[in-house]
Amino acid sequence: MIKRVWFILLLILLPLCGCMTGSQELLVKADPLENMEISHRQFAIPQDEEERGKLPMGCFTGIKVGDSRKTLEAQLSAPDGLLVMKVVENSPAVAAGIEVGDILMEAGIEENSLNSLSWPSDWYKLEESAKVGSTIHVLYDRAGRDKEAVIRVVKRISRASRLEVARFKEEAKVGIMVRTLSEVESNLAGFTRGEGCLVIGLARNSPWRHAGLIFGDMVISVNDDTIKNPKELLESINQIKKGDVVSLVVLRDGEKVTLKTTVSEREREVTEFSIPLL
């Protein structure tokens, strides 16, 4: 009987271990913005392959690029350079000495000043704007060593692979879902291949929705910072603080629309509770 009493007391005391100081703080994370509504028409992958076949093909370098960021910490800021993911055999890139794993840092056409490279669309823009026989000057990093190369572009004889459509969602501050554009959509909007950020979902209580953002808007700038793709938009949202007024510019039916808005004012709440000393 005595053993049973001690056992019951032990069961009562165990949950209170570590709480004998009289008070403790409990962090309660606010729920995400609720009721995400999605436009199924904009969510769907555009069936526009026939129209894509009519677009200019641009020039060819033989380089496939991707995100150079390798760590989670690096993902919180804009990429610094483009990772060479593939080099086509016998291509101009091979002749210039470019290899898989190189990081393209800056590039420019002919004698023009070199520009920093961050997003794949930066490289696509060079390929699209270059003329057959012209050269792209590149500064790149190979295993921590700076190198230079001159790539002489040639005429593209087959169309580049279709870009995959990617979707991204932010729930904590704005309550928004966006996707990348197809090449046809980018071309119609006056963007480069790989550019564009289309709104396909909004939370019912999204502050940006209340400010006038609608499905189908293309976000082109946040606080005067150009938005080239969904990742760049999410990085901008991450930097916005409570109380900041946000100037949002979108492309809607071919016209620029400016919206003034904020982010959600919800934040972590601290709840204090106390347990009497035994």
Side-chain angles (χ1 to χ4, degrees):
M1 183 65 181
I2 295 176
K3 291 182 177 180
R4 181 177 297 178
V5 171
W6 276 108
F7 180 74
I8 293 173
L9 287 174
L10 183 61
L11 290 177
I12 295 173
L13 291 173
L14 278 176
L16 302 181
C17 290
C19 301
M20 302 300 291
T21 59
S23 67
Q24 181 173 330
E25 289 186 345
L26 174 66
L27 292 180
V28 180
K29 186 176 182 180
D31 292 331
L33 290 164
E34 299 176 348
N35 301 319
M36 180 73 72
E37 293 185 332
I38 297 173
S39 169
H40 295 288
R41 183 170 66 86
Q42 273 95 15
F43 184 90
I45 298 175
Q47 302 300 310
D48 54 10
E49 188 61 27
E50 183 177 347
E51 291 83 356
R52 191 177 88 93
K54 301 175 183 178
L55 297 177
M57 291 195 293
C59 290
F60 177 70
T61 61
I63 297 176
K64 180 180 179 180
V65 293
D67 199 325
S68 64
R69 299 172 295 183
K70 297 180 180 180
T71 65
L72 182 60
E73 182 179 1
Q75 296 280 340
L76 300 178
S77 59
D80 187 14
L82 292 171
L83 176 66
V84 177
M85 301 180 64
K86 180 180 179 180
V87 179
V88 178
E89 187 176 355
N90 298 322
S91 67
V94 172
I98 302 296
E99 299 178 0
V100 172
D102 290 342
I103 297 178
L104 310 181
M105 305 300 296
E106 298 180 10
I109 298 175
E110 301 293 357
E111 300 300 324
N112 294 346
S113 59
L114 303 184
N115 294 311
S116 299
L117 300 173
S118 295
W119 306 101
S121 59
D122 295 335
W123 185 256
Y124 301 148
K125 183 174 291 186
L126 285 172
E127 290 186 324
E128 289 182 3
S129 59
K131 296 180 180 180
V132 175
S134 63
T135 55
I136 297 179
H137 295 244
V138 182
L139 296 180
Y140 64 98
D141 176 286
R142 177 178 293 169
R145 298 181 61 185
D146 294 336
K147 290 181 171 292
E148 298 183 27
V150 177
I151 304 173
R152 186 169 297 278
V153 300
V154 298
K155 182 179 180 179
R156 184 181 287 277
I157 59 175
S158 61
R159 190 166 299 279
S161 300
R162 184 184 180 100
L163 297 177
E164 293 184 4
V165 172
R167 303 176 183 86
F168 302 83
K169 181 167 62 175
E170 192 284 330
E171 296 180 288
K173 293 183 176 181
V174 173
I176 189 172
M177 183 182 292
V178 291
R179 71 161 168 82
T180 54
L181 302 185
S182 72
E183 293 162 68
V184 174
E185 290 174 323
S186 293
N187 182 263
L188 290 174
F191 300 154
T192 298
R193 177 174 180 255
E195 285 185 338
C197 180
L198 185 73
V199 177
I200 62 174
L202 288 165
R204 289 186 180 180
N205 54 346
S206 165
W208 287 16
R209 181 173 189 165
H210 295 326
L213 190 68
I214 62 175
F215 300 132
D217 281 347
M218 297 180 187
V219 182
I220 57 179
S221 75
V222 175
N223 290 337
D224 297 325
D225 291 332
T226 300
I227 301 298
K228 294 182 179 179
N229 54 61
K231 290 184 179 180
E232 207 161 34
L233 174 63
L234 298 185
E235 289 164 3
S236 293
I237 292 174
N238 185 58
Q239 294 173 9
I240 299 171
K241 298 179 181 179
K242 174 184 174 182
D244 289 350
V245 176
V246 181
S247 178
L248 188 67
V249 180
V250 302
L251 193 64
R252 181 183 298 169
D253 297 327
E255 300 291 335
K256 289 184 179 180
V257 178
T258 301
L259 307 172
K260 295 290 185 179
T261 182
T262 61
V263 294
S264 172
E265 295 185 355
R266 298 167 317 116
E267 59 184 346
R268 282 181 175 267
E269 300 173 351
V270 178
T271 301
E272 290 190 358
F273 68 94
S274 62
I275 298 175
L277 292 173
L278 295 178

